[in-house]
Amino acid sequence: MSLRSNLFNKRLTYLMLSVTASSAIFLSACDDTSPQADTEVAADLSVFEGCYTVSQDEPAQIKISQQDDTWVMQMKEPVTAKRVWDTPEPLEVIENSDIPQFFSIDPDNVDAVIGRPDRVLVLAHVKPAYANIDPLLDSEYLSYIYRGANTIYRVECDEVNTDILANPHANLVIDNVDDSI
């Protein structure tokens, strides 16, 4: 072999090794089995903070808030309770893999789920882009309340007592509402 041919073969070998090494590095960066791919991003539960009702033209019936690093829910009390909101009950994060137990929506279209430990109430926040294109959704919020699922509406929180059992539109104000709740 000539010196020129030998030099060409060495350069070709280095080139092939470089291409192989860079391809391996590129493919390993795309590997779905890497530890980062298995790490699930924590849901942003702040999307739930606020008040909700089952119909857009009704006053708030459920309040979700964060108290002492715990998410809690409160329901409106009847007039006879002498307070607007009941005692806060803790909520838990629910895994997206559990969504089919409560809602008929692809879990990939939901970005957060929260519910009571007994699962009598479960709320899901649908990704806004999906809520805009699904004709069956008229809200970004889904509620599962004791074996039934429907959309739920986020509304302004209020301190007006409403007797939900009698007339949700009564708007009865109770004096001396305990503001510490």
Side-chain angles (χ1 to χ4, degrees), residues 40-49 52 71 92-99 102-103 105-115 122-128 140-143:
E40 192 169 314
V41 177
D44 178 12
L45 300 180
S46 68
V47 297
F48 294 114
E49 191 160 13
Y52 300 87
W71 287 93
E92 303 174 334
V93 174
I94 297 175
E95 299 297 324
N96 277 21
S97 60
D98 293 335
I99 288 173
F102 309 105
F103 308 107
I105 189 169
D106 184 340
D108 290 339
N109 297 319
V110 176
D111 57 15
V113 186
I114 194 169
V122 176
L123 296 176
H125 183 258
V126 178
K127 293 178 181 177
E140 293 177 16
Y141 296 93
L142 297 175
S143 67

Side-chain angles (χ1 to χ4, degrees), residues 26-166:
F26 176 75
L27 290 175
S28 69
C30 297
D31 184 9
D32 285 340
T33 61
S34 67
Q36 287 181 334
D38 292 339
T39 304
E40 192 169 314
V41 177
D44 178 12
L45 300 180
S46 68
V47 297
F48 294 114
E49 191 160 13
C51 291
Y52 300 87
T53 186
V54 294
S55 175
Q56 288 177 320
D57 59 351
E58 292 181 4
Q61 298 170 1
I62 300 170
K63 183 194 295 187
I64 307 291
S65 60
Q66 190 173 17
Q67 297 178 5
D68 300 325
D69 296 328
T70 301
W71 287 93
V72 297
M73 68 163 285
Q74 293 173 271
M75 299 282 296
K76 281 267 178 103
E77 289 275 33
V79 173
T80 57
K82 303 293 185 212
R83 63 183 182 170
V84 176
W85 298 102
D86 69 359
T87 304
E89 293 188 37
L91 297 172
E92 303 174 334
V93 174
I94 297 175
E95 299 297 324
N96 277 21
S97 60
D98 293 335
I99 288 173
Q101 295 177 37
F102 309 105
F103 308 107
S104 58
I105 189 169
D106 184 340
D108 290 339
N109 297 319
V110 176
D111 57 15
V113 186
I114 194 169
R116 285 178 31 159
D118 62 6
R119 303 303 191 253
V120 170
L121 173 76
V122 176
L123 296 176
H125 183 258
V126 178
K127 293 178 181 177
Y130 184 77
N132 288 336
I133 62 169
D134 187 332
L136 299 176
L137 296 178
D138 54 354
S139 170
E140 293 177 16
Y141 296 93
L142 297 175
S143 67
Y144 171 89
I145 302 174
Y146 190 66
R147 299 186 186 176
N150 206 344
T151 53
I152 192 167
Y153 303 94
R154 191 173 186 167
V155 295
E156 291 296 318
C157 291
D158 61 62
E159 295 303 317
V160 176
N161 188 282
T162 303
D163 193 345
I164 298 170
L165 301 175

